């Protein structure tokens, strides 16, 4: 049984390995399947004709089967497109037309031309639609001629009545074969569509991991430049203190594993609070609230996120026995957000609010959350702060800074 299965699979796949395009490989397989079905039908009809002593019909089917055999070689070594036309000619000429001339119109052999009108859809590649059209027109034209113009012709041979009756059995066999053929086509098409849908979902998941969902949807709709201004947003920068020195004491794999573990924890916290992660830069982490979804509590959720990040890093440092501290800087204000780049594009933020948040982090204290006056004013009645004094912001000057110590109980 395994030998037969291997042989059939080898015949079906013959010649498909030469093509990288999945659609072409599928079309090659259908040409091979059509050849196999044609060969089996010719053999069955030949045997049936021998049983009822209709030797001319047996010889005709033997010739048709012999004409199909070389098509396997043509498909495998030359061109499956030529095999498709060869198989088409065998079905039309050596089988149906020859049987019609021998048996006459009373056998309804010419109805097979209607079945053969479907064959081009399966045999020819989708890009060869003119050939599909020509083949289908030929099939329908032959049926019209046989059914309306040659209805009174007499058969060349007077065959036994059993053969006439058996033609209906043969027609049913052809119809069953075509149904199976169409079933294989539909199954293969379903598999292709399923694989395409899985790839689409995978690509969509990757896109949503790179961009905020509203921005990803707009990008999928082929929108042009994506850039928007937001009047109220809160930006967070977080940096691992002394990470460069720490990375020198551990292996490269440990460095990546460490950053992945830390930032994955940050991602989970950001998702929990509905804060949008923007990017990581080395050992720095950037996030924002109020972009791209406008929300009035943007400063509060970022403050809560910062407090949880601080606690998370402390717990992580204790459990991993690695000395690790962070600096966090927060600022609130108007920002501009948009997508830049054609390759490896990124959703990013610009504006003074972003620069000040970065300076708050850069001039902060290890283990502390430093916020600007703008953020502190938004949160004065919900959180506790300690004044830090003024810090020098390049291009801006002296700005007051505050240390966020915790959230007040309700």
């Amino acid at each position: 049984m395994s030998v037969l299965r291997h042989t059939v699979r080898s015949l079906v796949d013959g010649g498909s390995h030469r093509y990288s395009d999945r659609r072409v490989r599928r079309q090659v397989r259908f040409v091979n399947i059509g050849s196999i079905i044609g060969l089996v039908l010719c053999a069955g009809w030949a045997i049936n004709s021998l049983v009822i002593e209709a030797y001319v019909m047996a010889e005709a089917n033997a010739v048709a089967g012999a004409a199909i055999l070389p098509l396997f070689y043509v498909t495998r070594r030359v061109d499956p497109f030529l095999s498709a036309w060869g198989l088409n000619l065998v079905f039309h000429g050596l089988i149906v037309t020859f049987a019609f001339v021998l048996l006459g119109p009373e056998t309804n052999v010419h109805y097979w031309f209607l079945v053969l009108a479907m064959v081009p859809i399966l045999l020819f590649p989708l890009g060869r639609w003119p050939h599909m059209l020509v083949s289908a027109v030929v099939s329908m034209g032959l049926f019209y001629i046989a059914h309306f113009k040659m209805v009174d012709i007499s058969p060349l041979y007077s065959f036994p009545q059993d053969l006439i009756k058996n033609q209906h059995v043969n027609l049913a066999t052809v119809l069953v074969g075509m149904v199976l053929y169409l079933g294989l086509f539909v199954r293969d098409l379903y598999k292709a569509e399923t694989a395409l849908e899985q790839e689409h979902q995978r690509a969509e998941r990757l896109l949503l991991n790179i961009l905020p969902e509203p921005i990803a949807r707009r990008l999928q709709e082929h929108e042009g430049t994506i850039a928007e201004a937001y009047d109220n947003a809160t930006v967070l920068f977080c940096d691992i203190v002394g990470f460069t020195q720490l990375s020198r004491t551990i292996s490269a794999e440990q460095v990546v594993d460490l950053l992945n573990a830390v930032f994955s924890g940050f991602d989970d916290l950001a998702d929990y609070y509905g804060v949008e992660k923007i990017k990581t830069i080395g050992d720095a982490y950037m996030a924002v609230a109020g972009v791209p979804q406008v929300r009035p509590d943007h400063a509060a959720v970022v403050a809560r996120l910062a407090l949880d990040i601080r606690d998370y890093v402390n717990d992580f440092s204790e459990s991993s026995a690695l000395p690790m501290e962070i600096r966090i800087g927060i600022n609130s204000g108007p920002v501009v957000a948009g997508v830049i780049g054609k390759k490896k594009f990124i959703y990013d933020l610009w504006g003074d609010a972003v620069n000040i948040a970065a300076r708050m982090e850069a001039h902060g204290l290890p283990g502390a959350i430093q916020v600007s006056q703008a953020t502190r004013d938004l949160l004065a009645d919900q959180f506790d702060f300690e004044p830090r004094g003024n810090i020098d912001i390049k291009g801006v000057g002296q700005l007051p800074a505050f240390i966020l110590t915790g959230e007040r109980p309700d």
Side-chain angles (χ1 to χ4, degrees):
M1 190 68 178
S2 60
V3 175
L4 177 61
R5 187 183 299 112
H6 175 76
T7 302
V8 172
R9 184 175 301 172
S10 177
L11 289 174
V12 170
D13 293 336
S16 62
H17 64 279
R18 296 191 295 131
Y19 303 94
S20 58
D21 191 323
R22 187 177 301 174
R23 295 171 300 178
V24 178
R25 292 201 302 268
R26 182 169 62 247
Q27 210 69 45
V28 171
R29 293 191 185 98
F30 277 120
V31 172
N32 288 330
I33 292 172
S35 300
I36 293 172
I37 292 176
L39 195 61
V40 171
L41 290 177
C42 287
W45 291 334
I47 294 172
N48 179 63
S49 299
L50 286 174
V51 169
I52 61 175
E53 299 181 355
Y55 299 112
V56 175
M57 284 298 298
E59 292 171 359
N61 283 291
V63 171
I68 291 175
L69 282 175
L71 298 179
F72 289 103
Y73 176 83
V74 175
T75 303
R76 185 182 293 267
R77 299 295 183 184
V78 185
D79 188 352
F81 176 68
L82 296 178
S83 295
W85 263 119
L87 193 61
N88 224 354
L89 293 174
V90 169
F91 279 134
H92 282 84
L94 293 180
I95 298 179
V96 181
T97 301
F98 186 75
F100 177 80
V101 173
L102 287 178
L103 301 175
E106 292 185 2
T107 59
N108 294 322
V109 176
H110 55 283
Y111 277 94
W112 294 353
F113 286 124
L114 299 178
V115 179
L116 292 178
M118 297 187 297
V119 169
I121 301 175
L122 303 173
L123 292 183
F124 292 112
L126 295 179
R128 302 291 183 93
W129 63 267
H131 298 272
M132 294 184 191
L133 182 61
V134 169
S135 180
V137 168
V138 168
S139 299
M140 299 302 293
L142 290 174
F143 171 77
Y144 175 82
I145 293 171
H147 190 70
F148 294 103
K149 301 299 182 181
M150 303 182 69
V151 66
D152 296 326
I153 68 168
S154 300
L156 292 181
Y157 292 91
S158 179
F159 289 103
Q161 190 64 27
D162 290 341
L163 179 61
I164 306 300
K165 294 179 181 179
N166 282 337
Q167 294 310 307
H168 300 287
V169 177
N170 291 338
L171 177 59
T173 305
V174 174
L175 291 174
V176 170
M178 291 306 302
V179 168
L180 292 175
Y181 201 18
L182 286 170
L184 290 171
F185 176 78
V186 171
R187 188 192 70 168
D188 203 66
L189 184 61
Y190 173 77
K191 289 172 61 178
E193 289 180 344
T194 301
L196 183 62
E197 179 62 25
Q198 290 173 347
E199 287 298 318
H200 173 74
Q201 293 177 358
R202 178 173 176 271
E204 190 164 285
R205 287 194 299 269
L206 289 174
L207 188 62
L208 292 177
N209 283 334
I210 298 172
L211 301 174
E213 183 174 354
I215 303 302
R217 300 301 179 207
R218 289 170 58 181
L219 195 64
Q220 287 175 327
E221 294 171 0
H222 307 288
E223 186 170 328
T225 302
I226 297 178
E228 291 182 316
Y230 297 87
D231 294 331
N232 299 289
T234 298
V235 183
L236 174 146
F237 280 91
C238 177
D239 183 74
I240 301 176
V241 179
F243 185 79
T244 301
Q245 288 76 15
L246 176 62
S247 64
R248 293 171 182 165
T249 64
I250 57 180
S251 67
E253 183 177 351
Q254 289 175 312
V255 169
V256 176
D257 288 341
L258 175 61
L259 285 176
N260 182 60
V262 172
F263 288 160
S264 293
F266 293 2
D267 289 344
D268 291 338
L269 291 172
D271 287 342
Y272 176 77
Y273 286 109
V275 175
E276 192 68 49
K277 172 187 175 181
I278 298 300
K279 60 184 175 182
T280 59
I281 311 168
D283 59 335
Y285 188 91
M286 179 184 178
V288 65
V291 175
Q293 299 286 359
V294 176
R295 55 187 302 176
D297 61 342
H298 54 89
V301 294
V302 170
R304 296 187 184 102
L305 172 63
L307 291 169
D308 281 0
I309 286 177
R310 182 189 63 183
D311 295 340
Y312 173 80
V313 171
N314 290 337
D315 293 342
F316 185 89
S317 177
E318 183 177 348
S319 63
S320 63
L322 291 173
M324 188 181 301
E325 288 184 306
I326 56 170
R327 288 192 306 265
I328 296 178
I330 301 174
N331 181 45
S332 302
V335 299
V336 173
V339 177
I340 58 174
K342 292 184 178 179
K343 295 182 178 180
K344 300 182 180 179
F345 49 81
I346 186 173
Y347 183 72
D348 211 344
L349 305 178
W350 301 271
D352 288 340
V354 178
N355 296 331
I356 292 174
R359 293 294 185 270
M360 287 292 156
E361 179 274 313
H363 295 281
L365 299 175
I369 304 168
Q370 185 162 266
V371 306
S372 67
Q373 177 78 52
T375 302
R376 187 259 183 192
D377 290 345
L378 291 172
L379 302 174
D381 59 345
Q382 301 178 59
F383 293 82
D384 293 322
F385 299 90
E386 293 178 359
R388 171 84 191 281
N390 291 337
I391 62 173
D392 185 43
I393 303 296
K394 183 178 180 181
V396 178
Q398 296 288 322
L399 289 179
F402 302 84
I403 302 299
L404 172 64
T405 57
E407 185 173 9
R408 295 176 186 176
D410 292 338

